[in-house]
Amino acid sequence: VVVILFIWVTETSLRLISSFDFIAHPVLAISLTALGILAVRNQKYLRLFEIAGYSSVFIYFLIQITLLLGDPSRGDTTRRVSTFAQWIPVAYVLAFLVFDTKYAVIFSSLFWGLSLVPGVRYIVLTALSTRIVEDVLILVQVYMSSVMYIVLLLTISMLRERYIHTRATAEMMAEV
């Protein structure tokens, strides 16, 4: 929440904020704060907080990607996508923190596939442009690095599950 508000204040004061972010950042901050307070006061709402938090990030990022790639005539698409790309791993990490491995892979793959749609649309619409090479390279790097994040997080999750299983088995054997 602090990061969201910091970005909102910084971008607003520098007049760099989009109209979508001007509204979305405070809404995200307020809703996550309210859900967080509710979860702290009553543990039964913790799962609601986790799922709502992940869903908010999932939807916000997809809208942001669509908006960033929605207008190929803008000259600063490469810079804007490069700047936003550093935040994309948050969607994958949150999926693996909130859900078990199976659902984390499903939601991560769904996010990746849905984010691919505006990227492919952008590439098709700018196919005749001279700046296509730089934009395509950045988009390919973003999408391929996302696959690497999913594979890396899946590997870590599987190792963690194997460790937990092995430890439980060892404790059971020690009692025998």
mmCIF file of all heavy atoms in Angstrom, residues 94-136:
data_model
loop_
_atom_site.group_PDB
_atom_site.id
_atom_site.type_symbol
_atom_site.label_atom_id
_atom_site.label_comp_id
_atom_site.label_asym_id
_atom_site.label_seq_id
_atom_site.Cartn_x
_atom_site.Cartn_y
_atom_site.Cartn_z
ATOM 1 N N LEU A 94 2.992 -13.353 -6.449
ATOM 2 C CA LEU A 94 1.769 -13.379 -5.639
ATOM 3 C C LEU A 94 0.961 -14.648 -5.886
ATOM 4 O O LEU A 94 0.396 -15.212 -4.945
ATOM 5 C CB LEU A 94 0.904 -12.151 -5.931
ATOM 6 C CG LEU A 94 1.306 -10.862 -5.241
ATOM 7 C CD1 LEU A 94 0.397 -9.720 -5.676
ATOM 8 C CD2 LEU A 94 1.265 -11.017 -3.734
ATOM 9 N N ALA A 95 0.889 -15.098 -7.131
ATOM 10 C CA ALA A 95 0.141 -16.327 -7.433
ATOM 11 C C ALA A 95 0.711 -17.503 -6.642
ATOM 12 O O ALA A 95 -0.043 -18.293 -6.064
ATOM 13 C CB ALA A 95 0.182 -16.626 -8.929
ATOM 14 N N PHE A 96 2.035 -17.603 -6.589
ATOM 15 C CA PHE A 96 2.662 -18.716 -5.875
ATOM 16 C C PHE A 96 2.626 -18.535 -4.359
ATOM 17 O O PHE A 96 2.744 -19.512 -3.620
ATOM 18 C CB PHE A 96 4.087 -18.946 -6.381
ATOM 19 C CG PHE A 96 4.120 -19.711 -7.666
ATOM 20 C CD1 PHE A 96 4.031 -19.052 -8.885
ATOM 21 C CD2 PHE A 96 4.214 -21.097 -7.668
ATOM 22 C CE1 PHE A 96 4.025 -19.758 -10.083
ATOM 23 C CE2 PHE A 96 4.220 -21.807 -8.857
ATOM 24 C CZ PHE A 96 4.121 -21.138 -10.074
ATOM 25 N N LEU A 97 2.451 -17.324 -3.884
ATOM 26 C CA LEU A 97 2.298 -17.103 -2.449
ATOM 27 C C LEU A 97 0.872 -17.386 -1.981
ATOM 28 O O LEU A 97 0.655 -17.896 -0.882
ATOM 29 C CB LEU A 97 2.667 -15.662 -2.080
ATOM 30 C CG LEU A 97 4.146 -15.308 -2.101
ATOM 31 C CD1 LEU A 97 4.332 -13.813 -1.870
ATOM 32 C CD2 LEU A 97 4.905 -16.106 -1.069
ATOM 33 N N VAL A 98 -0.100 -17.048 -2.819
ATOM 34 C CA VAL A 98 -1.505 -17.132 -2.427
ATOM 35 C C VAL A 98 -2.100 -18.520 -2.671
ATOM 36 O O VAL A 98 -2.901 -19.004 -1.877
ATOM 37 C CB VAL A 98 -2.332 -16.047 -3.152
ATOM 38 C CG1 VAL A 98 -3.825 -16.237 -2.939
ATOM 39 C CG2 VAL A 98 -1.904 -14.659 -2.689
ATOM 40 N N PHE A 99 -1.720 -19.171 -3.764
ATOM 41 C CA PHE A 99 -2.346 -20.426 -4.154
ATOM 42 C C PHE A 99 -1.374 -21.594 -4.038
ATOM 43 O O PHE A 99 -0.162 -21.408 -4.027
ATOM 44 C CB PHE A 99 -2.848 -20.330 -5.603
ATOM 45 C CG PHE A 99 -3.826 -19.216 -5.822
ATOM 46 C CD1 PHE A 99 -3.450 -18.073 -6.513
ATOM 47 C CD2 PHE A 99 -5.113 -19.288 -5.326
ATOM 48 C CE1 PHE A 99 -4.341 -17.035 -6.722
ATOM 49 C CE2 PHE A 99 -6.016 -18.250 -5.518
ATOM 50 C CZ PHE A 99 -5.629 -17.118 -6.220
ATOM 51 N N ASP A 100 -1.937 -22.809 -3.992
ATOM 52 C CA ASP A 100 -1.062 -23.973 -4.033
ATOM 53 C C ASP A 100 -0.482 -24.075 -5.442
ATOM 54 O O ASP A 100 -0.896 -23.354 -6.353
ATOM 55 C CB ASP A 100 -1.774 -25.251 -3.595
ATOM 56 C CG ASP A 100 -2.917 -25.668 -4.519
ATOM 57 O OD1 ASP A 100 -2.976 -25.197 -5.663
ATOM 58 O OD2 ASP A 100 -3.751 -26.483 -4.090
ATOM 59 N N THR A 101 0.466 -24.960 -5.627
ATOM 60 C CA THR A 101 1.242 -25.018 -6.871
ATOM 61 C C THR A 101 0.368 -25.150 -8.115
ATOM 62 O O THR A 101 0.567 -24.432 -9.102
ATOM 63 C CB THR A 101 2.256 -26.171 -6.807
ATOM 64 O OG1 THR A 101 3.083 -25.978 -5.663
ATOM 65 C CG2 THR A 101 3.126 -26.223 -8.039
ATOM 66 N N LYS A 102 -0.585 -26.062 -8.079
ATOM 67 C CA LYS A 102 -1.438 -26.304 -9.254
ATOM 68 C C LYS A 102 -2.164 -25.029 -9.690
ATOM 69 O O LYS A 102 -2.119 -24.644 -10.856
ATOM 70 C CB LYS A 102 -2.441 -27.409 -8.933
ATOM 71 C CG LYS A 102 -3.433 -27.677 -10.039
ATOM 72 C CD LYS A 102 -4.450 -28.726 -9.605
ATOM 73 C CE LYS A 102 -5.573 -28.836 -10.605
ATOM 74 N NZ LYS A 102 -6.607 -29.780 -10.142
ATOM 75 N N TYR A 103 -2.823 -24.368 -8.741
ATOM 76 C CA TYR A 103 -3.574 -23.158 -9.080
ATOM 77 C C TYR A 103 -2.657 -21.980 -9.380
ATOM 78 O O TYR A 103 -2.996 -21.111 -10.192
ATOM 79 C CB TYR A 103 -4.580 -22.821 -7.988
ATOM 80 C CG TYR A 103 -5.733 -23.790 -7.971
ATOM 81 C CD1 TYR A 103 -5.837 -24.753 -6.982
ATOM 82 C CD2 TYR A 103 -6.685 -23.770 -8.976
ATOM 83 C CE1 TYR A 103 -6.879 -25.663 -6.982
ATOM 84 C CE2 TYR A 103 -7.731 -24.673 -8.990
ATOM 85 C CZ TYR A 103 -7.824 -25.615 -7.995
ATOM 86 O OH TYR A 103 -8.853 -26.517 -8.005
ATOM 87 N N ALA A 104 -1.503 -21.941 -8.759
ATOM 88 C CA ALA A 104 -0.539 -20.877 -9.059
ATOM 89 C C ALA A 104 -0.085 -20.967 -10.513
ATOM 90 O O ALA A 104 0.008 -19.953 -11.205
ATOM 91 C CB ALA A 104 0.653 -20.958 -8.119
ATOM 92 N N VAL A 105 0.173 -22.189 -10.976
ATOM 93 C CA VAL A 105 0.567 -22.377 -12.381
ATOM 94 C C VAL A 105 -0.591 -22.000 -13.301
ATOM 95 O O VAL A 105 -0.394 -21.329 -14.326
ATOM 96 C CB VAL A 105 1.035 -23.829 -12.639
ATOM 97 C CG1 VAL A 105 1.218 -24.091 -14.126
ATOM 98 C CG2 VAL A 105 2.324 -24.111 -11.887
ATOM 99 N N ILE A 106 -1.803 -22.396 -12.942
ATOM 100 C CA ILE A 106 -2.975 -22.070 -13.764
ATOM 101 C C ILE A 106 -3.158 -20.556 -13.863
ATOM 102 O O ILE A 106 -3.304 -20.008 -14.959
ATOM 103 C CB ILE A 106 -4.248 -22.752 -13.208
ATOM 104 C CG1 ILE A 106 -4.179 -24.259 -13.428
ATOM 105 C CG2 ILE A 106 -5.511 -22.154 -13.839
ATOM 106 C CD1 ILE A 106 -5.263 -25.054 -12.708
ATOM 107 N N PHE A 107 -3.160 -19.864 -12.715
ATOM 108 C CA PHE A 107 -3.373 -18.413 -12.732
ATOM 109 C C PHE A 107 -2.211 -17.662 -13.376
ATOM 110 O O PHE A 107 -2.414 -16.662 -14.065
ATOM 111 C CB PHE A 107 -3.669 -17.881 -11.333
ATOM 112 C CG PHE A 107 -5.055 -18.221 -10.848
ATOM 113 C CD1 PHE A 107 -5.231 -18.983 -9.708
ATOM 114 C CD2 PHE A 107 -6.168 -17.790 -11.539
ATOM 115 C CE1 PHE A 107 -6.499 -19.305 -9.266
ATOM 116 C CE2 PHE A 107 -7.451 -18.103 -11.112
ATOM 117 C CZ PHE A 107 -7.616 -18.869 -9.967
ATOM 118 N N SER A 108 -0.989 -18.133 -13.167
ATOM 119 C CA SER A 108 0.169 -17.507 -13.814
ATOM 120 C C SER A 108 0.092 -17.679 -15.330
ATOM 121 O O SER A 108 0.358 -16.740 -16.085
ATOM 122 C CB SER A 108 1.471 -18.109 -13.288
ATOM 123 O OG SER A 108 1.656 -17.779 -11.945
ATOM 124 N N SER A 109 -0.265 -18.873 -15.763
ATOM 125 C CA SER A 109 -0.398 -19.128 -17.207
ATOM 126 C C SER A 109 -1.537 -18.317 -17.802
ATOM 127 O O SER A 109 -1.424 -17.796 -18.924
ATOM 128 C CB SER A 109 -0.625 -20.622 -17.464
ATOM 129 O OG SER A 109 0.455 -21.374 -16.978
ATOM 130 N N LEU A 110 -2.630 -18.205 -17.056
ATOM 131 C CA LEU A 110 -3.762 -17.397 -17.520
ATOM 132 C C LEU A 110 -3.354 -15.926 -17.659
ATOM 133 O O LEU A 110 -3.652 -15.281 -18.674
ATOM 134 C CB LEU A 110 -4.928 -17.534 -16.539
ATOM 135 C CG LEU A 110 -6.196 -16.754 -16.876
ATOM 136 C CD1 LEU A 110 -6.808 -17.241 -18.192
ATOM 137 C CD2 LEU A 110 -7.209 -16.884 -15.740
ATOM 138 N N PHE A 111 -2.642 -15.425 -16.663
ATOM 139 C CA PHE A 111 -2.162 -14.041 -16.728
ATOM 140 C C PHE A 111 -1.246 -13.857 -17.934
ATOM 141 O O PHE A 111 -1.373 -12.890 -18.684
ATOM 142 C CB PHE A 111 -1.437 -13.652 -15.438
ATOM 143 C CG PHE A 111 -0.879 -12.263 -15.472
ATOM 144 C CD1 PHE A 111 -1.699 -11.181 -15.223
ATOM 145 C CD2 PHE A 111 0.452 -12.036 -15.764
ATOM 146 C CE1 PHE A 111 -1.199 -9.886 -15.278
ATOM 147 C CE2 PHE A 111 0.965 -10.759 -15.809
ATOM 148 C CZ PHE A 111 0.136 -9.680 -15.563
ATOM 149 N N TRP A 112 -0.318 -14.790 -18.110
ATOM 150 C CA TRP A 112 0.623 -14.701 -19.224
ATOM 151 C C TRP A 112 -0.131 -14.713 -20.557
ATOM 152 O O TRP A 112 0.132 -13.879 -21.427
ATOM 153 C CB TRP A 112 1.621 -15.861 -19.161
ATOM 154 C CG TRP A 112 2.692 -15.774 -20.203
ATOM 155 C CD1 TRP A 112 3.835 -15.042 -20.136
ATOM 156 C CD2 TRP A 112 2.710 -16.427 -21.476
ATOM 157 N NE1 TRP A 112 4.572 -15.211 -21.289
ATOM 158 C CE2 TRP A 112 3.905 -16.059 -22.124
ATOM 159 C CE3 TRP A 112 1.843 -17.289 -22.130
ATOM 160 C CZ2 TRP A 112 4.241 -16.516 -23.389
ATOM 161 C CZ3 TRP A 112 2.177 -17.752 -23.390
ATOM 162 C CH2 TRP A 112 3.371 -17.366 -23.998
ATOM 163 N N GLY A 113 -1.069 -15.635 -20.708
ATOM 164 C CA GLY A 113 -1.825 -15.734 -21.956
ATOM 165 C C GLY A 113 -2.667 -14.501 -22.233
ATOM 166 O O GLY A 113 -2.702 -13.993 -23.356
ATOM 167 N N LEU A 114 -3.338 -14.001 -21.195
ATOM 168 C CA LEU A 114 -4.161 -12.801 -21.382
ATOM 169 C C LEU A 114 -3.306 -11.566 -21.655
ATOM 170 O O LEU A 114 -3.709 -10.681 -22.411
ATOM 171 C CB LEU A 114 -5.055 -12.580 -20.158
ATOM 172 C CG LEU A 114 -6.181 -13.594 -19.971
ATOM 173 C CD1 LEU A 114 -6.893 -13.363 -18.642
ATOM 174 C CD2 LEU A 114 -7.163 -13.549 -21.135
ATOM 175 N N SER A 115 -2.137 -11.493 -21.063
ATOM 176 C CA SER A 115 -1.255 -10.341 -21.326
ATOM 177 C C SER A 115 -0.618 -10.439 -22.712
ATOM 178 O O SER A 115 -0.190 -9.427 -23.271
ATOM 179 C CB SER A 115 -0.171 -10.231 -20.253
ATOM 180 O OG SER A 115 0.762 -11.281 -20.354
ATOM 181 N N LEU A 116 -0.569 -11.639 -23.251
ATOM 182 C CA LEU A 116 -0.013 -11.846 -24.590
ATOM 183 C C LEU A 116 -0.915 -11.251 -25.676
ATOM 184 O O LEU A 116 -0.425 -10.773 -26.703
ATOM 185 C CB LEU A 116 0.190 -13.346 -24.826
ATOM 186 C CG LEU A 116 0.962 -13.791 -26.048
ATOM 187 C CD1 LEU A 116 2.400 -13.295 -25.979
ATOM 188 C CD2 LEU A 116 0.944 -15.315 -26.144
ATOM 189 N N VAL A 117 -2.221 -11.236 -25.437
ATOM 190 C CA VAL A 117 -3.183 -10.753 -26.435
ATOM 191 C C VAL A 117 -2.900 -9.308 -26.850
ATOM 192 O O VAL A 117 -2.761 -9.029 -28.048
ATOM 193 C CB VAL A 117 -4.636 -10.936 -25.935
ATOM 194 C CG1 VAL A 117 -5.633 -10.258 -26.862
ATOM 195 C CG2 VAL A 117 -4.953 -12.416 -25.763
ATOM 196 N N PRO A 118 -2.794 -8.344 -25.916
ATOM 197 C CA PRO A 118 -2.489 -6.978 -26.356
ATOM 198 C C PRO A 118 -1.099 -6.853 -26.993
ATOM 199 O O PRO A 118 -0.894 -6.012 -27.870
ATOM 200 C CB PRO A 118 -2.593 -6.127 -25.093
ATOM 201 C CG PRO A 118 -2.715 -7.049 -23.961
ATOM 202 C CD PRO A 118 -3.041 -8.397 -24.475
ATOM 203 N N GLY A 119 -0.153 -7.694 -26.565
ATOM 204 C CA GLY A 119 1.183 -7.666 -27.160
ATOM 205 C C GLY A 119 1.172 -8.094 -28.616
ATOM 206 O O GLY A 119 1.768 -7.443 -29.480
ATOM 207 N N VAL A 120 0.463 -9.176 -28.891
ATOM 208 C CA VAL A 120 0.349 -9.650 -30.278
ATOM 209 C C VAL A 120 -0.417 -8.624 -31.120
ATOM 210 O O VAL A 120 -0.026 -8.323 -32.251
ATOM 211 C CB VAL A 120 -0.327 -11.038 -30.330
ATOM 212 C CG1 VAL A 120 -0.681 -11.432 -31.749
ATOM 213 C CG2 VAL A 120 0.562 -12.085 -29.681
ATOM 214 N N ARG A 121 -1.484 -8.067 -30.549
ATOM 215 C CA ARG A 121 -2.253 -7.032 -31.257
ATOM 216 C C ARG A 121 -1.358 -5.836 -31.599
ATOM 217 O O ARG A 121 -1.383 -5.328 -32.705
ATOM 218 C CB ARG A 121 -3.428 -6.579 -30.391
ATOM 219 C CG ARG A 121 -4.262 -5.486 -31.020
ATOM 220 C CD ARG A 121 -5.343 -4.991 -30.036
ATOM 221 N NE ARG A 121 -6.007 -3.833 -30.542
ATOM 222 C CZ ARG A 121 -5.575 -2.582 -30.407
ATOM 223 N NH1 ARG A 121 -4.445 -2.331 -29.767
ATOM 224 N NH2 ARG A 121 -6.248 -1.564 -30.906
ATOM 225 N N TYR A 122 -0.546 -5.425 -30.639
ATOM 226 C CA TYR A 122 0.355 -4.289 -30.852
ATOM 227 C C TYR A 122 1.343 -4.587 -31.982
ATOM 228 O O TYR A 122 1.581 -3.749 -32.857
ATOM 229 C CB TYR A 122 1.104 -3.965 -29.557
ATOM 230 C CG TYR A 122 2.052 -2.804 -29.692
ATOM 231 C CD1 TYR A 122 1.595 -1.497 -29.569
ATOM 232 C CD2 TYR A 122 3.405 -3.001 -29.961
ATOM 233 C CE1 TYR A 122 2.452 -0.423 -29.705
ATOM 234 C CE2 TYR A 122 4.269 -1.933 -30.097
ATOM 235 C CZ TYR A 122 3.793 -0.651 -29.964
ATOM 236 O OH TYR A 122 4.634 0.405 -30.110
ATOM 237 N N ILE A 123 1.916 -5.786 -31.961
ATOM 238 C CA ILE A 123 2.887 -6.161 -32.993
ATOM 239 C C ILE A 123 2.233 -6.175 -34.372
ATOM 240 O O ILE A 123 2.801 -5.665 -35.341
ATOM 241 C CB ILE A 123 3.524 -7.528 -32.662
ATOM 242 C CG1 ILE A 123 4.435 -7.378 -31.446
ATOM 243 C CG2 ILE A 123 4.305 -8.078 -33.850
ATOM 244 C CD1 ILE A 123 4.910 -8.691 -30.855
ATOM 245 N N VAL A 124 1.022 -6.699 -34.458
ATOM 246 C CA VAL A 124 0.307 -6.737 -35.741
ATOM 247 C C VAL A 124 0.006 -5.323 -36.229
ATOM 248 O O VAL A 124 0.201 -5.009 -37.408
ATOM 249 C CB VAL A 124 -0.993 -7.571 -35.622
ATOM 250 C CG1 VAL A 124 -1.883 -7.386 -36.837
ATOM 251 C CG2 VAL A 124 -0.666 -9.038 -35.405
ATOM 252 N N LEU A 125 -0.431 -4.448 -35.339
ATOM 253 C CA LEU A 125 -0.779 -3.077 -35.732
ATOM 254 C C LEU A 125 0.435 -2.231 -36.104
ATOM 255 O O LEU A 125 0.319 -1.254 -36.828
ATOM 256 C CB LEU A 125 -1.558 -2.380 -34.613
ATOM 257 C CG LEU A 125 -2.971 -2.903 -34.365
ATOM 258 C CD1 LEU A 125 -3.591 -2.192 -33.161
ATOM 259 C CD2 LEU A 125 -3.853 -2.742 -35.589
ATOM 260 N N THR A 126 1.596 -2.596 -35.600
ATOM 261 C CA THR A 126 2.798 -1.814 -35.895
ATOM 262 C C THR A 126 3.733 -2.529 -36.870
ATOM 263 O O THR A 126 4.890 -2.137 -37.013
ATOM 264 C CB THR A 126 3.580 -1.494 -34.601
ATOM 265 O OG1 THR A 126 3.944 -2.712 -33.976
ATOM 266 C CG2 THR A 126 2.769 -0.626 -33.673
ATOM 267 N N ALA A 127 3.232 -3.526 -37.547
ATOM 268 C CA ALA A 127 4.076 -4.347 -38.424
ATOM 269 C C ALA A 127 4.783 -3.529 -39.507
ATOM 270 O O ALA A 127 5.874 -3.886 -39.945
ATOM 271 C CB ALA A 127 3.258 -5.466 -39.058
ATOM 272 N N LEU A 128 4.196 -2.433 -39.924
ATOM 273 C CA LEU A 128 4.793 -1.623 -40.982
ATOM 274 C C LEU A 128 5.656 -0.488 -40.442
ATOM 275 O O LEU A 128 6.254 0.260 -41.209
ATOM 276 C CB LEU A 128 3.691 -1.060 -41.879
ATOM 277 C CG LEU A 128 2.814 -2.114 -42.564
ATOM 278 C CD1 LEU A 128 1.689 -1.439 -43.340
ATOM 279 C CD2 LEU A 128 3.636 -3.000 -43.475
ATOM 280 N N SER A 129 5.749 -0.387 -39.144
ATOM 281 C CA SER A 129 6.491 0.701 -38.524
ATOM 282 C C SER A 129 7.990 0.394 -38.499
ATOM 283 O O SER A 129 8.410 -0.747 -38.427
ATOM 284 C CB SER A 129 5.985 0.919 -37.096
ATOM 285 O OG SER A 129 6.794 1.831 -36.421
ATOM 286 N N THR A 130 8.785 1.453 -38.512
ATOM 287 C CA THR A 130 10.243 1.270 -38.458
ATOM 288 C C THR A 130 10.726 0.941 -37.050
ATOM 289 O O THR A 130 11.794 0.390 -36.875
ATOM 290 C CB THR A 130 10.967 2.540 -38.949
ATOM 291 O OG1 THR A 130 10.541 3.646 -38.144
ATOM 292 C CG2 THR A 130 10.681 2.790 -40.409
ATOM 293 N N ARG A 131 9.933 1.297 -36.031
ATOM 294 C CA ARG A 131 10.375 1.025 -34.666
ATOM 295 C C ARG A 131 9.931 -0.354 -34.180
ATOM 296 O O ARG A 131 10.104 -0.686 -33.020
ATOM 297 C CB ARG A 131 9.903 2.105 -33.712
ATOM 298 C CG ARG A 131 8.426 2.177 -33.496
ATOM 299 C CD ARG A 131 8.110 3.259 -32.455
ATOM 300 N NE ARG A 131 6.807 3.055 -31.924
ATOM 301 C CZ ARG A 131 5.691 3.509 -32.462
ATOM 302 N NH1 ARG A 131 5.743 4.206 -33.570
ATOM 303 N NH2 ARG A 131 4.530 3.270 -31.906
ATOM 304 N N ILE A 132 9.404 -1.148 -35.071
ATOM 305 C CA ILE A 132 8.892 -2.464 -34.706
ATOM 306 C C ILE A 132 9.974 -3.346 -34.103
ATOM 307 O O ILE A 132 9.712 -4.104 -33.172
ATOM 308 C CB ILE A 132 8.212 -3.156 -35.911
ATOM 309 C CG1 ILE A 132 7.541 -4.481 -35.490
ATOM 310 C CG2 ILE A 132 9.204 -3.465 -37.008
ATOM 311 C CD1 ILE A 132 6.370 -4.320 -34.631
ATOM 312 N N VAL A 133 11.185 -3.261 -34.578
ATOM 313 C CA VAL A 133 12.249 -4.146 -34.093
ATOM 314 C C VAL A 133 12.481 -3.948 -32.601
ATOM 315 O O VAL A 133 12.500 -4.915 -31.834
ATOM 316 C CB VAL A 133 13.551 -3.929 -34.897
ATOM 317 C CG1 VAL A 133 14.692 -4.729 -34.308
ATOM 318 C CG2 VAL A 133 13.333 -4.285 -36.352
ATOM 319 N N GLU A 134 12.639 -2.717 -32.175
ATOM 320 C CA GLU A 134 12.878 -2.444 -30.757
ATOM 321 C C GLU A 134 11.678 -2.865 -29.901
ATOM 322 O O GLU A 134 11.849 -3.506 -28.865
ATOM 323 C CB GLU A 134 13.173 -0.958 -30.542
ATOM 324 C CG GLU A 134 13.558 -0.633 -29.116
ATOM 325 C CD GLU A 134 13.893 0.832 -28.929
ATOM 326 O OE1 GLU A 134 13.857 1.607 -29.904
ATOM 327 O OE2 GLU A 134 14.195 1.196 -27.788
ATOM 328 N N ASP A 135 10.471 -2.530 -30.347
ATOM 329 C CA ASP A 135 9.272 -2.895 -29.594
ATOM 330 C C ASP A 135 9.096 -4.410 -29.516
ATOM 331 O O ASP A 135 8.775 -4.944 -28.459
ATOM 332 C CB ASP A 135 8.025 -2.268 -30.216
ATOM 333 C CG ASP A 135 7.970 -0.760 -30.004
ATOM 334 O OD1 ASP A 135 8.804 -0.230 -29.241
ATOM 335 O OD2 ASP A 135 7.096 -0.120 -30.604
ATOM 336 N N VAL A 136 9.304 -5.085 -30.627
ATOM 337 C CA VAL A 136 9.150 -6.540 -30.638
ATOM 338 C C VAL A 136 10.184 -7.188 -29.719
ATOM 339 O O VAL A 136 9.854 -8.101 -28.953
ATOM 340 C CB VAL A 136 9.242 -7.122 -32.076
ATOM 341 C CG1 VAL A 136 9.372 -8.629 -32.053
ATOM 342 C CG2 VAL A 136 8.031 -6.705 -32.887
#
